[in-house]
Amino acid sequence: MTGIAVGAVRPELTEVADGVFAHVQPDGGWCLNNAGLVVSGDRAALVDTAATEARARVLREAVLRVAPAAPQVLVNTHFHGDHTFGNFVFPESLVVGHERTRTEMTEAGLHLTGLWPDVEWGDLRLVPPALTFRDRLTLHVGEKTAELLHLGPAHTSNDTVLWLPAERVLFTGDLVMNGVTPFCPMGSVAGSLEALDTMRALAPDVVVPGHGPVAGPGVFDETEGYLRLLQDLAEQGLAESLDPVELARRTDLGEYARWLDAERLVPNLFRAYAEKQGEPRGSRVDMSELFARMIDYHGGLPTCHA
């Protein structure tokens, strides 16, 4: 597995419907995101890339084993680097995303690389979306039709899902993670819950989350349970005048404690507190400060295997 650390679990490209593939990177923790591929005739579209140059090149090799050529279109579900840094490895592709994906990706630059300086990121070059949309966009990939829907603010301000109505497959980006703790300090807890309702109403058979294994629609209920807990905790914390970190230290996550990256509870609580106090969804937060508070709670820098 060229370019990926020895001992890492090999990414898998799995066909989840006719001509529709999920590229899953175990274990799904920090920066180990999923991507997707839609193939029809001589056309192909990619959903997201990967965090490092090496992992993006592994993705390209996997795509070219099943696609007739490099994808003509590359859809970014949001601006985070684990889903977008590998865009440059697909120079043939028109990059498409929500209008704020372009804005926030350009503003953030390669900031993510500074959070984990020991990761071998490679020679990254930022390629933001060249085609943007506001609410929805229909993409035709050969005989297949994909709907791009902007939902949120939720995970971020600029989340896009890709829905294949004929195949009943939904690529959620990081609006949904399977067995991995949600992360919404840049977006909204309430907005994430509304996004879940919208995705449920589509009635997908297959859900390809942003991180973690491919799932069925039951993953929506699991995600909702965690988000409802955040809202309940925020109400309790504010009533007792507890700092979010102090509240997190007192919290028993129960069934959610087994999910990867449970330390995300801290930045999630900061967003939940802000919403309870009337802050607008998606309002700017100091992510450097929230990341530092999370590190303090966690007792060190979270592990990133990118």
Side-chain angles (χ1 to χ4, degrees), residues 7-281:
V9 180
R10 185 178 183 85
E12 292 185 1
L13 186 69
T14 303
E15 191 167 20
V16 297
D18 182 31
V20 183
F21 301 82
H23 185 263
V24 176
Q25 296 193 101
D27 58 2
W30 289 103
C31 296
L32 291 177
N33 66 297
N34 299 333
L37 178 68
V38 181
V39 179
S40 178
D42 64 351
R43 311 297 291 177
L46 186 64
V47 184
D48 285 336
T49 55
T52 67
E53 179 181 2
R55 286 186 174 275
R57 295 198 182 282
V58 168
L59 171 62
R60 182 180 175 91
E61 292 170 4
V63 165
L64 292 179
R65 284 197 294 270
V66 298
Q72 292 83 18
V73 176
L74 195 174
V75 177
N76 284 149
T77 59
H78 60 292
F79 81 96
H80 286 162
D82 51 339
H83 295 256
T84 63
F85 281 173
N87 288 359
F88 78 97
V89 172
F90 296 88
E92 310 89 343
S93 303
L94 173 67
V95 182
V96 178
H98 185 261
E99 59 188 12
R100 288 204 58 81
T101 298
R102 177 180 174 85
T103 301
E104 297 202 20
M105 184 175 169
T106 302
E107 290 176 355
L110 300 177
H111 174 74
L112 180 65
T113 63
L115 299 180
W116 284 282
D118 293 336
V119 168
E120 294 186 13
W121 297 98
D123 184 18
L124 299 176
R125 297 187 297 281
L126 210 63
V127 180
L131 175 64
T132 63
F133 70 99
R134 182 164 298 169
D135 298 313
R136 63 189 302 149
L137 183 71
T138 301
L139 176 65
H140 299 280
V141 185
E143 297 299 316
K144 293 184 179 354
T145 299
E147 299 290 338
L148 307 185
L149 309 174
H150 168 56
L151 306 182
H155 172 62
T156 66
S157 70
N158 53 95
D159 302 294
T160 294
V161 300
L162 185 144
W163 167 234
L164 295 158
E167 292 76 18
R168 316 304 299 172
V169 178
L170 180 67
F171 291 91
T172 70
D174 285 357
L175 291 173
V176 174
M177 306 187 197
N178 184 14
V180 182
T181 304
F183 189 66
C184 53
M186 299 180 192
S188 167
V189 180
S192 294
L193 287 164
E194 290 180 7
L196 286 174
D197 287 340
T198 301
M199 291 186 286
R200 254 196 215 97
L202 297 172
D205 293 330
V206 178
V207 177
V208 182
H211 295 251
V214 175
V219 72
F220 298 144
D221 295 337
E222 296 170 6
T223 304
E224 178 177 353
Y226 178 87
L227 296 171
R228 297 286 184 199
L229 175 62
L230 287 179
Q231 291 183 322
D232 291 344
L233 287 170
E235 189 168 338
Q236 171 195 338
L238 287 168
E240 298 180 17
S241 300
L242 296 174
D243 177 86
V245 177
E246 183 181 1
L247 176 61
R249 294 191 194 281
R250 296 185 183 190
T251 296
D252 178 0
L253 281 171
E255 62 183 302
Y256 308 113
R258 61 183 171 81
W259 286 1
L260 294 177
D261 308 328
E263 64 275 5
R264 291 175 181 170
L265 175 63
V266 167
N268 287 340
L269 281 175
F270 273 95
R271 172 56 67 181
Y273 269 50
E275 289 187 10
K276 290 288 184 182
Q277 293 172 312
E279 282 286 327
R281 298 177 184 184

